[in-house]
Amino acid sequence: MHQFFRYSFIIISLVLSIQVVAQPEKNKRLICATCTINPYKYVQVKSDTFQKASVSSAHPLASLVGAAIMKQGGNAFDAAIATQLALAVVYSGAGNLGGGGFLLARTHQQQLIALDYREKAPARAHRDMYLDKDGNAIEQLSKLGHLAAGVPGTIAGIDATLPYAKLPLKILIQPAIDLAKYGFVLTEREANNLNDSRAAFEQYNTQPTAFVKPTSWKAGDTLVQPELAATLERIQRWGAKGFYEGTTADFIVAEMQRGKGIITHNDLKNYKAAVRTPLVFNYRNHTIIGFPPPSSGGILTAQMLGMLERYPLRKYGFHNVKAVQLIIEAERRAYADRAEHMGDADFYPVPTQMLIDPRYLQQRWRNYDSTKATPSNTISAGKQSTFTVSEETTHISIIDADGTMVSITTTLNGNYGSKTVVGGAGFLLNNEMDDFSVKPGVANMYGAVGGVANAIAPNKRMLSSMTPTLVLKDNQPYLVVGTPGGTTIPTSVLQTLINIIDFDMSAAEAINAPKFHHQWLPDVVYVEKNVAPSLIEHLQAMGYSITPRGNIGRTEVIRVLPYGKRETAADIRGDDSVAGF
Ligand code: GLY
């Protein structure tokens, strides 16, 4: 970083840190006019059963905000807006204004809604923008810093959600403004995350940010974000124009110019959320509602469940080797299709109907061998790749008192996205450009490969794995499900659905059970550390290569119980928490 910025960083960080110490004493205030949320003292609630309405999200304060909004008359869409905005403040690693997401809903009048506010490639993007003169991918360019950012979609998504909400944005955004302006205390996990990214924040920012202070963060410190509060106030005043035009847009474009990024005023002004047609299919007498392209999640879930449905998984039992092998082989075949066939359907003819057709799935299953692993190179061609575990997307599951269900997955892509904060505006930019295939056969940060279907093109949306999902039983609301986790998202959702539908687990048991993941390439089975050693030995004997890894997903589920109670669970792998009434 330039010396001048390094010194300003330190001076402004000192000022911020003085504020940080002063805030808790000065502002022992609660957010929301009519609710009692204390941002300086809160606890995680991992699961609970509520009578009417509930929220499960990655942060206790965000879930409390969503539940409070429903209690003061809002519906599930109001809660969706308020919870997302609160997450943008209290969960900086993935909650966002500078990213994008998908919202999937079923209203109590049975209307299905799929809002796509995935980021887009800027107009100046082109297929080879991350390649050097010899045509080799330039490591990190699509992952960190200004050029990694796609045009953000989150605020356009919130704008597209507002017609379904009951309360005005002015009210829905206020908790987020208060949390940013007066601060909230950090959990240990969040303090550690900020410390771990400190060097990257210093490297990829041109101006000081609230995320860096002279000393390390620790649990109980208060994070105050005045620039983010001012951005939220502009959105409160002007709506989406407060982000895509005027001062905030000027800040974004100035940031791009300082850091050699390519997002322009026109890119911002032209960004629009899209309305998609949800993917609806059946699994063992349940109706599953999934998200279509540019998510790969709905198709992958339909393919994997389609391949598995003919097998009596319940009879085999949870983590029985037969059941696990079937799931791995279904994952392998579906992910091979992802690499070849999936991308933004506005730009590439994704053969959705073919991919989920039972006859096609039967064909894909032809070389399945119940005694051994099917090598990935016999399924389709591709190159080996590495796999990393930075998967900072986040999911919110909501149900309201009328039975409207909302499932939202939203993302910056990596942990704190591109690590670049928009100077003056206080929010992080995504590094979603890495979800494109920067070159056929070259792996992205999740080890996923792709080809022409997901090649970069101006204004195109990059392929996503986000899998917000809804399930109906007897045409009544049953499950609201979703998770972060990069390419592991569809397999986490799949295993959660199977844990509930086939293995009769409760919502909490289903999400907290150990998970595994196969994505065709690399040809390995990733397993969480608590997967039973005996299962691993069995799989190895069948020829599977096993790689232990960290957590898979942070899944949030709501299950509607027989008399309408909302069994609500938040993943134990993070600070996730539920709230409701
Ligand atoms: N950035 C993760 C995804 O969209 O799949």
Side-chain angles (χ1 to χ4, degrees):
M1 192 201 304
H2 189 282
Q3 274 310 79
F4 171 77
F5 287 126
R6 191 175 292 281
Y7 288 128
S8 344
F9 228 107
I10 293 167
I11 292 163
I12 295 182
S13 298
L14 271 169
V15 173
L16 282 177
S17 76
I18 291 163
Q19 274 194 351
V20 161
V21 173
Q23 282 305 324
E25 287 316 312
K26 203 173 68 187
N27 293 299
K28 280 250 183 247
R29 55 166 289 168
L30 309 178
I31 56 169
C32 299
T34 57
C35 64
T36 53
I37 301 170
N38 185 343
Y40 310 116
K41 196 171 191 296
Y42 55 87
V43 293
Q44 291 173 29
V45 181
K46 288 300 181 190
S47 86
D48 206 343
T49 299
F50 302 98
Q51 296 292 337
K52 292 187 172 159
S54 64
V55 182
S56 179
S57 85
H59 198 283
L61 290 169
S63 294
L64 287 167
V65 164
I69 285 293
M70 288 195 281
K71 202 154 194 185
Q72 71 186 68
N75 62 19
F77 294 100
D78 293 284
I81 293 169
T83 308
Q84 276 179 99
L85 290 166
L87 273 179
V89 180
V90 297
Y91 186 35
S92 320
N96 66 81
L97 301 186
F102 300 131
L103 178 148
L104 185 65
R106 181 189 188 261
T107 68
H108 65 281
Q109 290 132 332
Q110 306 192 19
Q111 186 187 357
L112 298 183
I113 298 158
L115 299 179
D116 167 2
Y117 43 102
R118 180 72 164 162
E119 302 92 322
K120 278 182 159 185
R124 282 172 55 204
H126 57 91
R127 195 194 61 184
D128 297 336
M129 63 187 279
Y130 299 113
L131 305 186
D132 65 17
K133 62 180 178 12
D134 301 319
N136 299 315
I138 306 169
E139 191 59 13
Q140 304 303 338
L141 215 51
S142 62
K143 297 179 175 63
L144 292 163
H146 299 67
L147 205 56
V151 184
T154 294
I155 293 302
I158 282 171
D159 195 46
T161 309
L162 273 170
Y164 303 101
K166 286 159 87 175
L167 303 174
L169 180 63
K170 190 173 164 11
I171 288 179
L172 302 175
I173 203 169
Q174 191 61 47
I177 292 172
D178 289 349
L179 286 164
K181 200 185 265 185
Y182 304 110
F184 64 97
V185 298
L186 293 173
T187 63
E188 187 174 352
R189 189 184 311 270
E190 198 55 34
N192 291 341
N193 283 346
L194 286 169
N195 293 335
D196 291 347
S197 289
R198 183 193 176 101
F201 287 139
E202 288 179 345
Q203 186 174 350
Y204 294 104
N205 281 289
T206 59
Q207 299 203 335
T209 95
F211 302 130
V212 175
K213 67 182 179 74
T215 55
S216 296
W217 293 100
K218 56 185 187 329
D221 281 350
T222 299
L223 177 62
V224 183
Q225 301 170 80
E227 291 180 344
L228 179 58
T231 298
L232 289 163
E233 280 173 337
R234 284 190 292 275
I235 297 167
Q236 184 180 47
R237 181 146 188 224
W238 306 109
K241 285 189 176 169
F243 183 88
Y244 292 102
E245 297 177 37
T247 306
T248 311
D250 290 345
F251 279 137
I252 296 172
V253 173
E255 185 61 57
M256 287 290 131
Q257 284 162 357
R258 285 194 296 272
K260 299 200 174 74
I262 56 173
I263 297 175
T264 62
H265 277 108
N266 270 344
D267 287 324
L268 294 167
K269 207 169 166 184
N270 293 337
Y271 185 91
K272 296 276 172 298
V275 177
R276 306 287 179 196
T277 306
L279 211 58
V280 182
F281 53 95
N282 289 304
Y283 178 69
R284 300 199 206 283
N285 296 323
H286 294 75
T287 306
I288 318 279
I289 303 157
F291 211 96
S295 172
S296 59
I299 298 178
L300 289 175
T301 312
Q303 288 191 294
M304 295 186 289
L305 289 174
M307 288 186 250
L308 293 168
E309 192 166 15
R310 78 191 79 157
Y311 293 96
L313 298 183
R314 178 193 296 266
K315 192 174 128 210
Y316 299 154
F318 172 73
H319 278 203
N320 161 279
V321 68
K322 264 194 209 166
V324 171
Q325 194 218 2
L326 285 164
I327 295 169
I328 291 169
E329 292 301 337
E331 291 175 355
R332 183 197 308 276
R333 285 161 178 78
Y335 276 81
D337 280 342
R338 181 190 194 277
E340 177 72 22
H341 295 297
M342 299 184 212
D344 181 349
D346 291 345
F347 284 72
Y348 181 85
V350 179
T352 303
Q353 288 315 317
M354 174 194 88
L355 292 170
I356 63 174
D357 189 304
R359 290 162 300 180
Y360 173 80
L361 295 176
Q362 199 159 357
Q363 227 178 59
R364 292 295 277 153
W365 201 247
R366 237 186 243 149
N367 59 351
Y368 167 72
D369 182 336
S370 65
T371 64
K372 58 178 199 281
T374 315
S376 281
N377 61 14
T378 65
I379 301 268
S380 191
K383 286 190 182 141
Q384 286 288 355
S385 51
T386 55
F387 189 79
T388 57
V389 291
S390 171
E391 299 158 342
E392 293 307 322
T393 295
T394 189
H395 182 80
I396 309 167
S397 289
I398 303 172
I399 189 162
D400 68 19
D402 291 329
T404 293
M405 307 188 285
V406 179
S407 185
I408 307 157
T409 314
T410 172
T411 185
L412 284 171
N413 198 18
N415 191 19
Y416 303 110
S418 62
K419 308 283 200 286
T420 297
V421 178
V422 175
F427 63 87
L428 281 150
L429 287 167
N430 66 84
N431 60 339
E432 222 71 59
M433 291 297 282
D434 192 58
D435 268 344
F436 278 118
S437 172
V438 301
K439 185 183 173 183
V442 170
N444 72 1
M445 63 190 284
Y446 303 119
V449 290
V452 63
N454 191 31
I456 303 171
N459 302 314
K460 186 176 174 182
R461 288 172 157 95
M462 53 296 282
L463 181 63
S464 173
S465 298
M466 294 188 288
T467 311
T469 303
L470 302 171
V471 180
L472 308 177
K473 202 170 165 180
D474 301 325
N475 205 32
Q476 297 300 314
Y478 184 47
L479 298 172
V480 188
V481 191
T483 182
T487 45
T488 69
I489 293 173
T491 57
S492 281
V493 168
L494 171 80
Q495 288 169 48
T496 302
L497 293 177
I498 288 174
N499 286 348
I500 293 175
I501 295 173
D502 289 279
F503 300 134
D504 292 328
M505 290 187 189
S506 69
E509 287 166 343
I511 61 176
N512 296 325
K515 297 202 175 70
F516 51 90
H517 171 73
H518 197 294
Q519 58 176 45
W520 178 53
L521 292 178
D523 191 354
V524 297
V525 184
Y526 294 99
V527 294
E528 285 192 307
K529 293 197 175 67
N530 49 350
V531 167
S534 57
L535 173 60
I536 291 175
E537 281 161 24
H538 269 111
L539 290 170
Q540 282 170 326
M542 295 167 91
Y544 289 96
S545 169
I546 306 289
T547 302
R549 55 158 280 173
N551 294 338
I552 298 182
R554 279 172 66 167
T555 309
E556 325 292 7
V557 173
I558 299 171
R559 177 164 72 146
V560 180
L561 297 176
Y563 294 96
K565 287 188 182 169
R566 281 76 164 109
E567 182 191 34
T568 308
D571 205 303
I572 55 171
R573 294 167 181 83
D575 294 332
D576 311 42
S577 191
V578 307
F581 55 92

